[in-house]
Amino acid sequence: MPELPEVEIVKQSLKRAINHKKIRKVIVKNRNLRFKLPVNFEKTLQDKVISNVSRLSKYIIIEFKSGLFCIFHLGMSGTVHIIKKKIDKITNLSFYQYKQVPTRHNHIKFIFSNFKIIYNDPRRFGFFKLFKSLDELNIYFKKIGPEPFSKKFNFFYLYNKIKNKKKNIKNILLDQNIVAGLGNIYVNEILFYCKVDPKKKGSEISKKEIKKIIRYSNIVLKIAIKSGGSSIRDFKNANGDNGSFQKKFKIYGKKGYACPRNNCKGKIIKFFQTNRSSYMCQICQK
DNA sequence: CCGTTAACCTGAGAGC
DNA sequence: TGCTCTCAGGTTAACG
């Protein structure tokens, strides 16, 4: 489900809620995520104080005062929920309040003093990992490519990465070791803006097109973050709010529609590239 | 090294 | 209603 903009949105809302707070207790209902949760997971995190929350690629990184790191990935269907504890003034009873609490697949609960965080993930492709130090963390992320917004993601970098590639540009851009954080929706959208055929080989992409890919990666992702991400099926930020970037999709999920480009008479077609759906206008994407 | 495929899971929606 | 089939925002182990 989540690509860079959605993960960024989750990170922002999560950071506001948990930064500088102490985890009082961790309760695990199901350890069988993408990777089995470490046996010491609950104990390691109990009573730890959070000193920062950040994002790298599609990962959220929680840093603790003690120097420990906990990272997690949402996979395809992971969601994070902040649930505030309210106290009824008449009965003095406390209860948790959330716009819509999921009933199933709540695998992990992080209990704080006046709220709790729930990790929900129906398909269980998400996962958590612990690292004892920054060095360990850096080793884990060593292969990940540059963030699309970073100066490292520039013309020379991308040109050298793709100039000899036989792989199609769509799959190149989905490769997290080339550039971090792009996923199926945003790669489809970016290539439409660039007027580039997703089937084109890396070696066939012109220098002009490389520059466009970099520029539109930045533009599309920035607008998506500003829109709160894309909520197609069930994406919500940690406060339960939907994003709105899905309303701005040009081609994703728009099979059979007319090309949204002015003066283009093309139709949007759908096809598969390595088992993942691709959309394009056959006339203006070359 | 490179590129391709299958596998990991559940649920929603389409078609019958 | 209900069955069966396809598809979904991601990653990675295993193979040639």
Side-chain angles (χ1 to χ4, degrees):
Chain A
M1 154 169 83
E3 305 180 37
L4 187 152
E6 291 74 34
V7 179
E8 175 64 25
I9 291 301
V10 171
K11 182 217 80 184
Q12 288 174 9
S13 43
L14 188 63
K15 183 173 182 176
R16 278 194 291 273
I18 71 172
N19 205 12
H20 308 304
K21 304 265 165 69
K22 185 197 270 191
I23 298 178
R24 303 188 104 187
K25 199 172 185 192
V26 180
I27 301 164
V28 177
K29 267 199 176 168
N30 188 351
R31 317 192 81 79
N32 299 310
L33 301 181
R34 176 71 202 270
F35 305 115
K36 200 156 189 149
L37 268 192
V39 277
N40 58 348
F41 187 77
E42 298 93 315
K43 257 194 178 166
T44 307
L45 295 180
Q46 182 161 348
D47 295 326
K48 293 283 193 303
V49 177
I50 291 136
S51 57
N52 196 21
V53 182
S54 56
R55 177 194 59 76
L56 183 67
S57 185
K58 299 172 192 169
Y59 295 83
I60 291 175
I61 303 167
I62 300 171
E63 186 178 349
F64 293 91
K65 236 177 149 182
S66 67
L68 178 82
F69 291 88
C70 173
I71 68 163
F72 66 98
H73 193 292
L74 300 167
M76 286 282 257
S77 58
T79 48
V80 172
H81 307 270
I82 300 165
I83 301 174
K84 286 180 185 146
K85 197 192 254 178
K86 300 269 180 180
I87 297 178
D88 188 288
K89 282 183 181 138
I90 297 164
T91 60
N92 214 25
L93 293 171
S94 66
F95 58 96
Y96 286 109
Q97 186 179 293
Y98 181 71
K99 289 179 182 170
Q100 205 174 14
V101 187
T103 51
R104 306 181 63 196
H105 309 297
N106 293 324
H107 307 310
I108 309 176
K109 285 177 196 167
F110 301 89
I111 312 294
F112 291 76
S113 68
N114 56 352
F115 65 95
K116 64 182 176 183
I117 304 288
I118 289 182
Y119 178 71
N120 181 282
D121 190 353
R123 294 178 73 181
R124 286 185 277 121
F125 290 167
F127 58 89
F128 286 71
K129 277 182 186 292
L130 297 174
F131 296 104
K132 289 198 271 311
S133 67
L134 187 59
D135 283 347
E136 271 191 22
L137 183 81
N138 287 335
I139 290 167
Y140 185 78
F141 287 127
K142 203 170 57 183
K143 281 188 172 173
I144 299 260
E147 284 279 310
F149 301 132
S150 77
K151 283 182 180 158
K152 282 184 167 181
F153 187 56
N154 58 38
F155 170 77
F156 299 103
Y157 170 81
L158 192 57
Y159 175 68
N160 285 318
K161 279 283 178 193
I162 74 175
K163 65 180 179 191
N164 296 322
K165 287 251 190 302
K166 276 185 267 177
K167 218 200 274 189
N168 63 65
I169 186 64
K170 193 213 174 192
N171 281 116
I172 290 174
L173 294 175
L174 282 175
D175 183 345
Q176 301 298 298
N177 298 329
I178 303 272
V179 54
L182 297 182
N184 204 34
I185 292 178
Y186 294 104
V187 168
N188 271 294
E189 292 289 305
I190 289 163
L191 290 175
F192 171 77
Y193 281 101
C194 297
K195 300 188 183 178
V196 169
D197 183 338
K199 299 190 292 302
K200 222 164 161 179
K201 291 176 187 161
S203 60
E204 297 168 344
I205 303 293
S206 73
K207 293 181 179 180
K208 214 175 168 182
E209 287 171 332
I210 292 175
K211 287 178 187 167
K212 273 194 199 172
I213 288 169
I214 292 165
R215 197 167 84 240
Y216 280 108
S217 298
N218 275 268
I219 294 172
V220 172
L221 294 175
K222 262 182 201 150
I223 298 172
I225 292 170
K226 236 181 172 174
S227 311
S230 304
S231 298
I232 300 181
R233 242 170 303 277
D234 50 9
F235 171 74
K236 287 179 190 322
N237 72 19
N239 298 312
D241 308 313
N242 281 317
S244 65
F245 191 73
Q246 68 282 1
K247 293 174 190 163
K248 300 193 177 99
F249 286 171
K250 296 292 181 190
I251 58 168
Y252 186 84
K254 301 210 175 286
K255 176 185 170 184
Y257 282 62
C259 175
R261 205 165 247 127
N262 283 342
N263 305 320
C264 178
K265 297 274 195 301
K267 251 188 183 181
I268 305 306
I269 59 159
K270 179 187 178 182
F271 60 104
F272 285 89
Q273 290 179 286
T274 46
N275 286 324
R276 311 212 57 193
S277 56
S278 290
Y279 297 86
M280 68 177 288
C281 169
Q282 270 181 311
I283 292 182
C284 61
Q285 287 177 261
K286 295 181 192 310

